[in-house]
Amino acid sequence: MADVKAKFSELCKLRYKDQAIWFMNGFWNAGINPEEANTVWDLVKHFVELDKLAFEPKGEDGHELDQFWSAKFLEDLNSTLTASERKDALRLIDQDNNGKMSCVEYLTWRYKKTPEAVVNAPQGDNTAAIAAAQAKIDEVQAQLADCEAKISAQAAAIEAQNAAIAAQKKAIADNDEAIAQSKRRQEELAQAIRDLQAARDELEKAVEDLKAQEAAFAAKMADLEAKGKGGGVAGARALNELAQMKTEDPLPLRRAKITQEAAVRRVKKQEAATEEAKVEARKQEEALEEAKKQLEAAARRLEDAKRDLESAKAALEQAYTSLEAKMQEAVDELEEVKKNPGGGYGAIWWMERELFEADKRLPNAKQRYDHKKPFLFNPGA
């Protein structure tokens, strides 16, 4: 009995998958059949999924779940069990009394076997051939995982590159809009300068008119003064008119002239400022045009890099060709085992299922199995 416990404890330390294969080998057609084998496959996957959530996750390399995750496992499979019933079930399942649940312990309980029957379950006389076939399948899975990881990384790099290209295109579009705004601003400033020049011309003409009026007034006074000195009736009339002119207030005329001259100076100042703004706007446009050249050059580099990435991805996808050859080797090796099974049906079934799952991950054109149908394989048929 002690020997059975020790051997059963050793079985509990195997990986989940290997525990399941041992059990399926030993009880093929004695509780395990092709349909039930699919159930065991799903159970092992669930063990692995929960193990990955554990405090010290081991995933596929794990061999047992702690009390918390064991209870979760039972709850997931049978939600009708009460907490008390789950505790009772775990007490019965835990054959080595370590407070944890291994895959083989659960299978022993589920299929109502004894630890002694499990330990002594026949494993077949073809273990070496099975190990060789399994090694080939392991190579296929490793190479497939490597291909998928590299292609996934390459696809992520291409996606990131697409995002960078989109951002660059937006930057170019924003820059083009800034250039268009700069051109519009320059045109507005040019129109403002033209309007200011027209206003200045009008103001300067008004100033000239006022100066002319002022000069004419002064000239007439000088003329009247000269005539007044000549005496006589004409001189008296001239002196009278001169006196009247001197009584007129020249201030409005002078004030108007000063106001107009000040207005001319203001307009000239505005002209200079507007011209300066126009020059600055032109400089900004030139800077934006230079930035556009740099942005477009960067966009071309990004497109070139994207093409390189896509070429690299295509080259990686060619790796599936060598993977096909590797898978064919695994298939051939497994076919040899099938010809001379010698027991070990659980292991043979498991390898066939692994090939089926690996095949599912290949491009559709390279798949060997009909994945529209559920997996069903009987190595003992």
Side-chain angles (χ1 to χ4, degrees):
M1 189 65 178
D3 188 45
V4 168
K5 284 186 176 181
K7 288 182 179 179
F8 193 82
S9 181
E10 288 301 312
L11 285 178
C12 292
K13 294 176 184 176
L14 297 175
R15 295 183 305 164
Y16 296 120
K17 161 188 164 179
D18 295 326
Q19 294 178 39
I21 290 173
W22 178 282
F23 191 89
M24 290 167 64
N25 277 342
F27 298 105
W28 195 266
N29 291 330
I32 301 297
N33 54 42
E35 292 84 358
E36 200 63 31
N38 282 319
T39 299
V40 175
W41 174 274
D42 292 338
L43 291 171
V44 169
K45 294 303 172 188
H46 200 47
F47 265 102
V48 171
E49 287 169 6
L50 293 181
D51 194 301
K52 289 177 180 178
L53 301 175
F55 181 69
E56 294 182 352
K58 295 179 181 176
E60 293 183 353
D61 292 326
H63 62 279
E64 60 186 1
L65 299 175
D66 63 23
Q67 193 170 29
F68 175 82
W69 291 111
S70 296
K72 180 69 170 69
F73 183 94
L74 293 180
E75 181 184 3
D76 290 345
L77 293 180
N78 191 344
S79 58
T80 62
L81 287 176
T82 64
S84 176
E85 288 170 336
R86 283 197 297 274
K87 283 184 179 179
D88 291 340
L90 287 171
R91 197 175 297 112
L92 292 172
I93 292 169
D94 186 15
Q95 292 290 332
D96 57 6
N97 298 315
N98 68 346
K100 299 178 181 180
M101 181 176 75
S102 66
C103 180
V104 74
E105 284 178 321
Y106 175 75
L107 294 175
T108 300
W109 173 78
R110 180 185 178 99
Y111 293 101
K112 297 180 174 55
K113 306 297 180 183
T114 65
E116 184 175 8
V118 173
V119 165
N120 295 320
Q123 297 300 302
D125 57 6
N126 57 347
T127 53
I130 287 174
Q134 184 65 62
K136 292 287 186 184
I137 293 172
D138 289 344
E139 287 180 20
V140 168
Q141 290 179 319
Q143 189 170 337
L144 177 59
D146 182 63
C147 283
E148 288 176 329
K150 288 178 178 176
I151 289 174
S152 176
Q154 207 72 3
I158 290 172
E159 185 177 349
Q161 200 72 3
N162 284 335
I165 289 170
Q168 199 72 4
K169 286 180 178 178
K170 184 179 184 305
I172 291 171
D174 291 344
N175 196 73
D176 285 344
E177 176 57 27
I179 290 172
Q181 287 179 0
S182 180
K183 288 181 182 297
R184 288 194 294 271
R185 176 61 176 157
Q186 287 180 73
E187 181 54 39
E188 289 168 0
L189 289 168
Q191 183 58 49
I193 289 171
R194 289 192 291 271
D195 293 342
L196 286 168
Q197 287 173 341
R200 174 168 54 80
D201 291 344
E202 191 173 331
L203 286 168
E204 286 177 342
K205 184 178 181 301
V207 169
E208 290 302 318
D209 288 344
L210 289 169
K211 284 181 179 180
Q213 290 177 41
E214 193 176 40
F217 187 86
K220 186 174 182 180
M221 286 184 72
D223 181 60
L224 289 171
E225 191 172 353
K227 287 179 178 179
K229 290 178 180 181
V233 176
R237 189 182 300 114
L239 289 173
N240 183 52
E241 188 177 350
L242 178 63
Q244 288 179 358
M245 287 184 68
K246 285 182 177 181
T247 61
E248 291 179 10
D249 185 6
L251 188 60
L253 183 62
R254 291 176 184 172
R255 186 181 290 118
K257 187 181 78 167
I258 292 169
T259 301
Q260 292 294 79
E261 286 174 339
V264 170
R265 287 193 296 273
R266 285 197 301 275
V267 168
K268 284 183 176 180
K269 190 175 181 179
Q270 288 176 339
E271 266 189 273
T274 305
E275 187 63 45
E276 186 177 339
K278 182 182 174 185
V279 170
E280 286 300 317
R282 179 57 190 162
K283 287 180 180 177
Q284 182 187 33
E285 182 188 348
E286 290 171 354
L288 288 168
E289 289 287 358
E290 181 59 32
K292 179 180 179 180
K293 291 177 184 177
Q294 294 177 4
L295 287 169
E296 289 175 339
R300 287 192 294 273
R301 290 194 295 273
L302 286 170
E303 289 286 357
D304 290 342
K306 179 186 174 182
R307 282 191 289 273
D308 291 343
L309 285 170
E310 288 174 339
S311 296
K313 183 184 176 186
L316 278 172
E317 288 172 346
Q318 288 299 315
Y320 279 121
T321 302
S322 62
L323 182 60
E324 277 186 289
K326 188 71 70 177
M327 183 169 279
Q328 186 58 54
E329 290 178 14
V331 169
D332 293 343
E333 194 81 32
L334 184 55
E335 288 300 321
E336 287 301 314
V337 175
K338 290 178 188 177
K339 290 176 185 176
N340 302 287
Y345 292 131
I348 296 172
W349 182 94
W350 199 275
M351 287 188 288
E352 188 76 27
R353 179 65 189 264
E354 285 183 329
L355 283 176
F356 177 84
E357 295 297 326
D359 185 75
K360 188 189 295 183
R361 290 151 59 189
L362 293 176
N364 291 342
K366 298 181 182 297
Q367 291 177 355
R368 299 166 177 269
Y369 294 84
D370 183 358
H371 294 284
K372 294 178 183 177
K373 300 177 181 177
F375 179 78
L376 193 62
F377 167 64
N378 186 356

